[in-house]
Amino acid sequence: MRKWVSHDIDLCIGCNRCMEACPVTKKHITIADLNMATEPETEVPQNIIDFSFNCVQCGRCVPVCPAGARRDYMVLFIKYKLRAQKPGKYDKYIQIKDQDKRGFELMKQKLYTTYMKLKHRDLRQYMGSVPSENKEILFYPGCYINSPEVIRRTMKLLNFVGTPYNILGGLNTCCGIPHLLIGEFELAEKNMDLLHAKINRSTPKIVITGCAECFEALVRIKAKHKTEYDILTVTEFLLTHRDKFPKVRLRPNITLHDSCRITRRYNRGEAPRKAIEMFSKLVEMENSREKTLCCYYWNMGHDGANDKNRKKRLNEARGKSKTLACDCITCYEKYVGLDDGIEVIDILELFEEALDKEGGAR
Ligand code: SF4
Ligand code: SF4
C-alpha cells in the first residue's frame, strides 16, 4: 500500500477532478495538501482528518482521474495512518464486529445472540453455525442474517429455483470489508481468512451474496487463495434460472441505484438491469453506472450531510420513476423509509412479487 500510494502521488497532475466528483463534505482542501498528507511519514492536518473520516470509499473519484491514480486508495491510506485516532463511531463498529470478545462484552454479545435466536426461530440455525455438507450453492448473507425479511425472501426464491444450497450466516462475524474501509487492514485480512476457512468446509461450486461488501470480500478471498468456486450476486444467480419465473409486468417503470462496489468497482451492473426489464421498464438516472452515488453508509455517520445527500439521491430517482430498486442490501437499508414520495425496493422483491402474483412460491 505504501508503494502504491507513493506511485499514485507521483502520477497525480493536480487537476482536482477527483475532489469535484467526490460526494462527501470537505472544506478548503488543496490537492497539494492532500497528496502531502498521503505520504507515509507526514502529519495529517485537521481539515484532511475530517475529510478522510467522511470518505465512504465509494470510488467515484477513480474513473474521472486522467492520470489513472486511485484517490480512493490514497484516502484509505490516510485512514490507515490515522487508525489510532479513529472517531468513536468507527471504533464502535469495530467493537461490534470483534470476534475475540471477553468479559462483559462477550456476555452482551451472547445475550444479543440468544435474543435474536428466540425472535427469529426459523433462522436461528443459520446465525452462527458453519455448514459442512457439500452442496452446489453457498448463500453467504454474513451479518445480514440479522435482516430477516431479506433473508426469508432470498430463501423463498432459492427454494423456488430448486438448486440445493447451504447458508453461511454470521450474526457476530464479519466479511472483513468494513474493517478494510475503516483502514484496519490487519483485522480485514484476519476476517477474510476466517471466512475463507468457513466457506471451505462445504466446498461449494458457487457462492452467492446480496451484499456488495460481502461480494468484494469474496472476490478478494478468491484472488488470494485461488479458490475454484464462482461468485455471483443473488440477482445474477436468479437470472441463470430466469425462465422459471412468471412473465408478469409489475410496475410501469423502475429506476436503479447502482452499488459502488458491484457496479462501479466490479462492473457487474448488468444483472439488476436485466432483472428490472423482466418485470418492468428500466429508466436510468443521470448518476448511474460509474457515476453512481453512494448510500453514504461507510463513514459510519461521521459526515453530518449523509441524510441530506441520501435525500438528494432519492430526489434524483423520483424525477425518473415512482420506484427505486437497490441491488445491495446495505444500499436498500439506507434508502428504504427515508422519503414517503418514492417506493424503495430490494430488487429481489420483483422476483418474489412475480411468484406471488402467479399463485405463491409453488
Ligand atoms: S472514495 Fe468516494 S468519498 Fe472517498 S475520496 Fe473518493 S469519491 Fe470521495
Ligand atoms: S483526478 Fe487524479 S490527477 Fe487529478 S487531482 Fe485527482 S488524483 Fe490527481
Side-chain angles (χ1 to χ4, degrees), residues 18-19 21-24 26 51 54-62 71-73 75 264:
C18 50
M19 289 298 98
C22 175
V24 303
K26 51 202 150 327
F51 161 65
N54 283 345
C55 167
V56 278
Q57 282 295 300
C58 64
R60 202 164 194 260
C61 47
V62 178
R71 178 63 66 192
D72 57 342
Y73 288 172
V75 181
R264 182 164 37 232

Side-chain angles (χ1 to χ4, degrees), residues 196-214:
H196 168 62
K198 286 178 185 174
I199 293 173
N200 263 358
R201 286 185 60 185
S202 63
T203 57
K205 289 200 177 106
I206 304 173
V207 183
I208 61 172
T209 182
C211 164
E213 284 67 47
C214 295

Side-chain angles (χ1 to χ4, degrees), residues 12-18 31 65-67 69 71 74:
C12 177
I13 55 169
C15 68
N16 202 44
R17 284 187 207 169
C18 50
I31 294 294
C65 177
R71 178 63 66 192
M74 290 193 257

Side-chain angles (χ1 to χ4, degrees), residues 99-143:
Q99 299 194 27
D100 302 316
K101 285 189 170 56
R102 291 193 176 78
F104 183 58
E105 287 300 320
L106 181 63
M107 209 168 78
K108 268 194 343 200
Q109 187 182 67
K110 283 186 174 172
L111 276 172
Y112 173 69
T113 307
T114 309
Y115 167 74
M116 288 299 283
K117 285 186 173 176
L118 285 171
K119 192 170 174 206
H120 305 293
R121 285 170 183 268
D122 58 325
L123 300 178
R124 68 181 164 185
Q125 60 181 307
Y126 311 117
M127 286 183 178
S129 60
V130 180
S132 55
E133 193 185 342
N134 288 352
K135 289 187 183 166
E136 191 174 329
I137 306 294
L138 178 67
F139 168 38
Y140 175 59
C143 61

